[in-house]
């Protein structure tokens, strides 16, 4: 049956991610019949809440954002929720006993431990849950990002978690992999015949991967000062999009076959080190504009420090995949906070026609939009109607998922939670993938840290610092902006 019987234990279960993403996704799964009737959601926190307190909190904070279309389902969903207080790393072990008692009621169920908590808690949590005797062969653990700060901390976390759970039990989340267009990219590439022959350096000039956000970082300084756009978005989300765009066709639609191909792409990334870092990477930080505060003036619980001044809220990178298919094709990556629009997309820019007989042509472009509106657009050249001179115009052949399919497009977390409850790890990052990504990121972080330069300022609400435009401009290219 599609609904797999499992108990879901969420550490950090009353936190922001849980309230904003996980619980709404679980409600939708419940409504669509993807949760087994007996599945329980057990939130763990230090909060000392009763089940009733927790249900009341969820009712008050989540109900409006879902939105509820079926009150009976909502009531049923609230009935699945429980809360247990645990003090990971603390003296008080009584919470583990309570949890053990609850889980023992249904010994035969799968158990999913979802760690929606900072990465420093991953190791201690796994150790304690193991000491409490709660890890069964049918248990899984889900790790939220960020998985470490760099390669060595990622390895340490992977070792700590790996001491308790087998790799096949470990599910590392990158929520971009749960997005509809991202999964569609594989279908587009590997279920259609016409693209594959031209999906290479003979036909493709370059690829752009953009994740632009309008939001700033209010209230997140504590995290963001030590993350920055490179760790927060590139190491995971953007590199995942790059691997799916660049990977070789796997022989099977199979968890390991797909992840094997993805990791090969990461291993083929040309390292950017030392003096090259300045040439191939750009950093920016937003400054106040209009009623938008600059990064340093964002409201938050802690005042800005030296680290705040050095952290990038925008980055652009020229990457290269050194293999037969992609030699010489730049992959430009860009992400930033407080940009003028919210848009995530992959743009595949084809080369010019080999010989042009019409004036005014432009090369073809394939745009895969992840958000705000999922869709795929192929820009082709067409003749503008008219009896006069031939005039060319690019016209988009477009597939809007919202218009073509009537089914609701599920949120990324719905797909990922469904997969994790069913034990399917295809859309989760394997240890070698995460570490290969860090191996490429580390030298960039090191060079940034070693230099005196600060990120280039860009006014909030703009497309990033001048350097980002020069990165493409110096080879006669430009970022794709909405027409
Ligand atoms: C998260 C980052 O992983 O992704 C956030 O930590 C970012 O900083 C978010 O805002 C973007 O996700 P989405 O789904 O809105 O593109």
């Amino acid at each position: 049956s599609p609904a797999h019987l499992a108990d879901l234990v969420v550490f950090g279960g009353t936190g922001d991610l849980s309230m904003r993403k996980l619980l709404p996704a679980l409600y939708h799964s419940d409504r669509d019949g993807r949760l087994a009737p007996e599945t329980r959601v057990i939130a763990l926190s230090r909060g000392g809440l009763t089940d009733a307190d927790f249900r009341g909190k969820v009712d008050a904070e989540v109900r409006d954002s879902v939105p509820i279309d079926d009150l009976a389902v909502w009531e049923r969903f609230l009935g699945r929720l429980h809360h247990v207080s645990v003090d990971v790393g603390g003296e008080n072990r009584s919470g583990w006993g309570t949890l053990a008692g609850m889980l023992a009621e249904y010994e035969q169920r799968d158990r999913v431990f979802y760690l929606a908590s900072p990465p420093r808690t991953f190791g201690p949590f796994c150790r304690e849950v193991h000491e409490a005797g709660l890890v069964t062969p049918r248990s899984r653990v889900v790790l939220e990002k960020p998985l470490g700060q760099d390669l060595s901390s990622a390895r340490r976390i992977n070792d700590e978690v790996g001491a308790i759970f087998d790799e096949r039990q470990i599910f590392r989340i990158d929520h971009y992999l749960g997005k509809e267009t991202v999964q569609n990219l594989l279908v587009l590439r590997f279920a259609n015949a016409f693209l594959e022959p031209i999906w290479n350096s003979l036909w493709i000039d370059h690829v752009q991967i953009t994740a632009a956000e309008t939001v700033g970082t209010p209230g997140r300084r504590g995290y963001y000062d030590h993350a920055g756009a490179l760790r927060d978005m590139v190491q995971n989300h953007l590199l995942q999009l790059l691997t799916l765009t660049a990977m070789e066709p796997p022989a099977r639609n199979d968890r390991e076959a797909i992840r094997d191909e993805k990791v090969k792409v990461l291993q083929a990334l040309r390292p950017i080190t030392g003096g090259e870092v300045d040439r191939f990477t750009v950093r920016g930080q937003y400054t106040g504009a209009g009623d938008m505060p600059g990064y340093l003036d964002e409201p938050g619980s802690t005042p800005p420090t030296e680290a705040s001044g050095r952290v990038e809220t925008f980055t652009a990178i020229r990457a290269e995949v050194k293999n037969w298919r992609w030699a010489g094709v730049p992959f430009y990556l860009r992400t930033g906070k407080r940009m003028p629009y919210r848009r995530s997309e992959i743009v595949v820019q084809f080369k010019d026609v080999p010989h042009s007989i019409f004036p005014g042509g432009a090369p073809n472009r394939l745009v895969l939009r992840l958000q705000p509106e999922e869709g795929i657009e192929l820009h082709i050249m067409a003749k503008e109607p008219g009896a006069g001179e031939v005039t060319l115009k690019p016209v988009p052949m477009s597939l809007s998922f919202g218009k073509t399919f009537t089914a609701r497009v599920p949120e990324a977390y719905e797909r990922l939670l469904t997969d994790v409850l069913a034990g399917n790890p295809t859309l989760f990052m394997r240890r070698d993938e995460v570490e290969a990504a860090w191996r490429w990121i580390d030298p960039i972080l090191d060079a940034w840290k070693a230099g005196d330069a600060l990120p280039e300022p860009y006014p909030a609400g703009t497309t990033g610092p001048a350097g980002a435009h020069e990165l493409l401009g110096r080879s006669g290219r430009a970022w794709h902006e909405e027409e």
Side-chain angles (χ1 to χ4, degrees):
S1 102
H4 213 82
L5 191 49
D7 279 327
L8 179 62
V9 179
V10 186
F11 179 55
T14 59
D16 188 56
L17 180 80
S18 183
M19 300 307 255
R20 272 190 320 112
K21 298 284 187 190
L22 303 183
L23 291 164
L26 287 165
Y27 163 73
H28 283 297
S29 296
D30 194 355
R31 195 202 51 194
D32 296 348
R34 278 180 281 112
L35 285 190
E38 306 85 348
T39 287
R40 295 176 296 182
V41 178
I42 306 170
L44 307 183
S45 80
R46 274 194 304 216
L49 307 179
T50 63
D51 288 354
D53 294 338
F54 180 52
R55 290 171 189 173
K57 180 177 162 69
V58 174
D59 194 28
E61 294 176 28
V62 179
R63 176 200 276 250
D64 289 338
S65 68
V66 176
I68 311 294
D69 34 23
D70 187 334
L71 213 56
V73 176
W74 181 244
E75 293 298 330
R76 176 178 80 200
F77 176 68
L78 290 178
R80 297 174 182 276
L81 307 182
H82 301 269
H83 182 277
V84 176
S85 299
V86 292
D87 183 19
V88 170
E91 296 293 297
N92 185 353
R93 294 303 172 97
S94 66
W96 293 117
T98 312
L99 182 62
M102 286 179 74
L103 292 175
E105 289 168 35
Y106 302 98
E107 204 91 55
Q108 74 295 351
R109 289 185 186 175
D110 287 9
R111 294 176 185 174
V112 175
F113 298 101
Y114 193 120
L115 308 193
S117 56
R120 68 186 140 73
T121 63
F122 294 173
F125 180 92
C126 291
R127 214 163 37 242
E128 291 187 29
V129 82
H130 168 69
E131 282 164 10
L134 302 185
V135 180
T136 58
R138 302 182 60 123
S139 293
R140 298 188 270 287
V141 66
V142 185
L143 309 179
E144 258 299 334
K145 65 167 277 268
L147 209 109
Q149 277 280 308
D150 51 22
L151 178 60
S152 72
S153 55
R155 275 197 180 132
R156 194 167 55 242
I157 293 167
N158 281 330
D159 284 344
E160 287 171 356
V161 176
I164 309 295
F165 292 92
D166 283 347
E167 180 63 23
R168 63 172 182 83
Q169 297 176 293
I170 305 174
F171 287 60
R172 299 177 188 81
I173 290 252
D174 185 314
H175 79 279
Y176 268 53
L177 293 177
K179 290 183 192 272
E180 227 16 63
T181 314
V182 174
Q183 294 158 62
N184 226 314
L185 172 55
L186 292 186
V187 175
L188 181 77
R189 285 194 57 200
F190 303 134
N192 293 292
F194 74 99
L195 270 180
E196 190 50 28
I198 55 172
W199 205 255
N200 57 50
S201 65
L202 291 179
W203 299 94
I204 292 175
D205 178 74
H206 73 276
V207 175
Q208 300 183 8
I209 301 176
T210 293
E213 299 185 277
T214 51
V215 293
T217 52
R220 288 181 90 194
R221 187 177 347 268
Y223 160 71
Y224 204 86
D225 269 3
H226 303 283
L230 189 65
R231 290 189 177 99
D232 187 46
M233 296 291 288
V234 179
Q235 189 270 341
N236 33 72
H237 307 325
L238 268 58
L239 284 183
Q240 286 293 320
L241 299 182
L242 184 150
T243 60
L244 294 168
T245 308
M247 71 190 265
E248 295 301 315
R252 295 176 304 283
N253 180 15
D254 155 306
R255 54 187 69 171
E256 301 312 336
I258 290 180
R259 297 193 294 180
D260 285 346
E261 294 307 334
K262 286 170 61 197
V263 82
K264 285 184 209 162
V265 174
L266 294 167
Q267 289 163 346
L269 281 173
R270 181 175 176 280
I272 302 178
T273 56
E276 287 180 344
V277 171
D278 271 352
R279 249 174 73 220
F280 296 135
T281 75
V282 176
R283 280 177 295 164
Q285 186 181 94
Y286 61 89
T287 53
D291 54 5
M292 290 179 283
Y295 178 72
L296 299 178
D297 302 315
E298 287 285 10
S301 44
T302 51
T305 62
E306 205 226 322
S308 320
R310 295 184 61 86
V311 80
E312 78 288 355
T313 62
F314 173 101
T315 185
I317 302 178
R318 182 189 188 282
E320 253 181 80
V321 180
K322 297 277 275 184
N323 64 16
W324 189 291
R325 185 188 288 267
W326 295 114
V329 178
F331 283 73
Y332 296 103
L333 311 176
R334 139 178 100 147
T335 183
K337 303 284 184 199
R338 285 269 187 247
M339 292 183 58
Y341 39 72
R342 172 169 189 261
R343 180 147 54 83
S344 295
E345 64 183 16
I346 301 168
V347 178
V348 177
Q349 180 71 56
F350 289 91
K351 291 189 171 168
D352 267 319
V353 293
H355 170 69
S356 171
I357 57 170
F358 304 110
N364 298 123
R365 192 166 61 215
L366 180 71
V367 180
L368 295 125
R369 208 167 337 95
L370 278 63
Q371 52 203 30
E373 221 187 281
E374 296 87 353
I376 298 174
E377 266 175 21
L378 179 63
H379 294 258
I380 59 167
M381 293 311 290
K383 176 185 173 301
E384 219 173 321
E389 224 170 276
V390 174
T391 314
L392 301 189
K393 211 177 164 213
V395 288
M397 287 172 44
S398 59
L399 166 65
S400 144
F401 294 123
K403 291 189 191 122
T404 308
F405 303 107
T406 50
R408 186 180 62 89
V409 175
E411 279 268 336
Y413 276 99
E414 286 175 55
R415 142 73 41 177
L416 297 175
L417 282 163
T418 304
D419 284 1
V420 87
L421 288 170
N424 177 4
T426 311
L427 295 176
F428 295 81
M429 292 182 293
R430 220 165 51 186
R431 173 171 187 158
D432 53 352
E433 273 184 84
V434 176
E435 293 182 3
W438 278 121
R439 197 166 292 116
W440 185 73
I441 293 285
D442 263 12
I444 302 176
L445 288 169
D446 290 345
W448 285 356
K449 199 166 149 205
D452 299 326
L454 295 177
E456 280 179 69
Y458 63 98
T462 64
T463 56
H469 298 282
E470 283 154 24
L471 187 71
L472 277 72
R474 64 179 185 242
S475 52
R477 301 179 174 114
W479 291 106
H480 172 235
E481 301 296 349
E482 208 91 310
E483 276 91 35

